[in-house]
Each structure stands twice: as C-alpha cells, then as structure tokens.
C-alpha cells in the first residue's frame, strides 16, 4: 500500500497571508509603539520587545510556510516507511522500525514517538530547530503531524498511519518467528 497525501494549497496561501500580516504588525510594534499603548503598565520598550519577538517568530513562520508551497506531497506512507513533508521542519523519511508509538493528540494532530537516533542522524539548521521546539516541546522524542494543511481528515490520517504501522509490526513479527 502506497499512499500519497497532498497539501491543501488554499490553506498554505492563507497561512502565508496571515504570517505576512502578523509580520507587518510586528514591524509597526517597533516603529510606532505609542499607537499600541493601552494602559499604564505597557511601556514603549515592552511593545518594541514584543515586536522583535514577533519579527523573529513570524519571519520563521513565513519562510517555513512558503517552503511548503513547492512540495508535491505532504505525506507518503508505505509498508516500510513514512515520509513526512507536512512541515518545513519535518524529518522526511522515517522507517517504521524507528517508531515506538503513535497517538492522536488534540483535535487535529498525531504524535509519533521515534527513536532518538532518528534525530541524531539529521542535520537541522537553526530555523528548523526553532520551529520544532515551538511546535513540539518534546521534539527530541516525537514528531507531530497536523492535518491542518493536509487534504484529508485527522481520522483518515490516523487510520492510514496506524494501519501501515500495524502491518509492518505483523510482517516483522511473522518474519521473526519464521527464522
């Protein structure tokens, strides 16, 4: 079973527009902070610090969403591995043998627990590390796949991933007993 799950391009476009809008607000936080003062406790310095944080965060977010636009597929599921391209900071090809557990979390996400060796073998740049940390505080032990940008529901996604994972476990268990 080979399954390709594609992106919803209209959601990626919406993400690009929203990240640019938030980036613009962050620039205004730095250039015109007095517009945003609403009470005695907010100081110009506080607003400018928020602007700097916003510029860093939303620039990374814009760059990561923009990179998704050119990808052919978000996920590719086979009987031997899964290729995760659903985010800029995704790890790519992960073999089923390196996965220990799959759980559904929140309303639109799946958490896949992987061996630490998977992360050691990948070279990640600073933006990828930052985005991994921002999206998953347990990023050295698991990855999170969200259905927000995918062209399928979370139920379909979870079913397809767990089905392939269980099939892999069955075939390796049978092969292990036969030897």
């Amino acid at each position: 079973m080979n399954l390709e799950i594609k992106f919803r391009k209209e959601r990626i476009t919406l993400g690009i527009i929203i990240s640019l809008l938030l980036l613009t607000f962050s620039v205004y936080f730095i250039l015109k902070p007095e517009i945003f003062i609403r009470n005695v406790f907010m100081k110009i310095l506080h607003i400018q610090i928020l602007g700097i944080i916003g510029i860093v965060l939303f620039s990374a977010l814009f760059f990561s969403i923009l990179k998704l636009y050119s990808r052919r597929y978000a996920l590719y599921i086979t009987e031997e591995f899964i290729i995760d391209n659903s985010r800029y900071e995704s790890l790519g090809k992960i073999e089923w043998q390196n996965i220990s557990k799959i759980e559904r979390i929140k309303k639109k996400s799946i958490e896949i627990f992987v061996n630490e060796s998977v992360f050691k073998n990948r070279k990640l740049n600073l933006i990828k590390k930052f985005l991994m940390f921002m999206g998953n505080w347990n990023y050295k032990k698991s990855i999170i796949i969200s259905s927000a940008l995918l062209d399928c529901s979370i139920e379909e996604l979870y079913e397809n991933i767990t089905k392939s994972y269980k099939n892999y476990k069955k075939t390796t268990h049978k092969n292990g007993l036969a030897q």
Side-chain angles (χ1 to χ4, degrees):
M1 175 187 96
N2 293 342
L3 178 66
E4 239 181 48
I5 299 173
K6 299 198 180 282
F7 285 108
R8 284 182 152 168
K9 295 292 185 176
E10 64 274 2
R11 288 199 178 175
I12 293 175
T13 305
L14 183 64
I16 289 171
I17 292 168
I18 289 171
S19 63
L20 280 175
L21 187 66
L22 293 171
L23 186 59
T24 304
F25 274 114
S26 298
V27 170
Y28 273 105
F29 275 29
I30 293 173
L31 298 177
K32 303 272 186 192
E34 55 277 346
I35 297 172
F36 301 100
I37 294 178
R38 296 283 179 237
N39 60 36
V40 179
F41 301 108
M42 286 300 280
K43 305 279 187 231
I44 288 177
L45 181 65
H46 297 147
I47 294 170
Q48 288 176 327
I49 290 171
L50 286 175
I52 292 169
I53 292 169
I55 285 176
V56 170
L57 177 65
F58 299 126
S59 295
L61 186 63
F62 171 72
F63 180 74
S64 70
I65 293 173
L66 194 60
K67 284 288 195 176
L68 295 180
Y69 214 79
S70 63
R71 293 187 179 171
R72 251 187 39 205
Y73 57 86
L75 290 169
Y76 188 72
I77 303 169
T78 70
E79 292 180 12
E80 295 88 30
F81 57 84
I82 181 171
I83 298 176
D84 177 22
N85 285 329
S86 62
R87 295 177 181 212
Y88 169 69
E89 66 272 14
S90 296
L91 296 177
K93 183 177 177 181
I94 303 169
E95 295 177 355
W96 293 119
Q97 67 189 16
N98 293 323
I99 296 175
S100 59
K101 184 169 61 168
I102 301 170
E103 289 180 357
R104 184 156 170 213
I105 58 170
K106 301 180 186 175
K107 289 183 179 180
K108 293 197 175 270
S109 300
I110 296 170
E111 186 170 19
I112 299 176
F113 293 88
V114 296
N115 300 340
E116 288 183 29
S117 63
V118 172
F119 292 101
K120 290 178 184 174
N121 296 337
R122 305 289 200 291
K123 292 189 179 191
L124 303 173
N125 62 33
L126 185 62
I127 294 174
K128 285 185 178 185
K129 286 181 183 179
F130 174 73
L131 290 169
M132 284 181 91
F133 178 74
M134 294 305 292
N136 178 11
W137 289 25
N138 194 18
Y139 74 98
K140 290 192 177 183
K141 295 183 181 169
S142 68
I143 60 169
I144 294 178
I145 299 175
S146 172
S147 67
L149 298 176
L150 304 182
D151 199 18
C152 71
S153 69
I154 189 68
E155 290 83 15
E156 288 177 73
L157 181 62
Y158 183 71
E159 181 182 319
N160 288 323
I161 290 174
T162 54
K163 183 178 167 186
S164 294
Y165 181 63
K166 287 177 183 176
N167 284 343
Y168 170 78
K169 287 291 187 184
K170 277 184 196 175
T171 57
T172 56
H173 185 66
K174 284 180 184 175
N175 290 343
L177 290 176
Q179 294 175 359

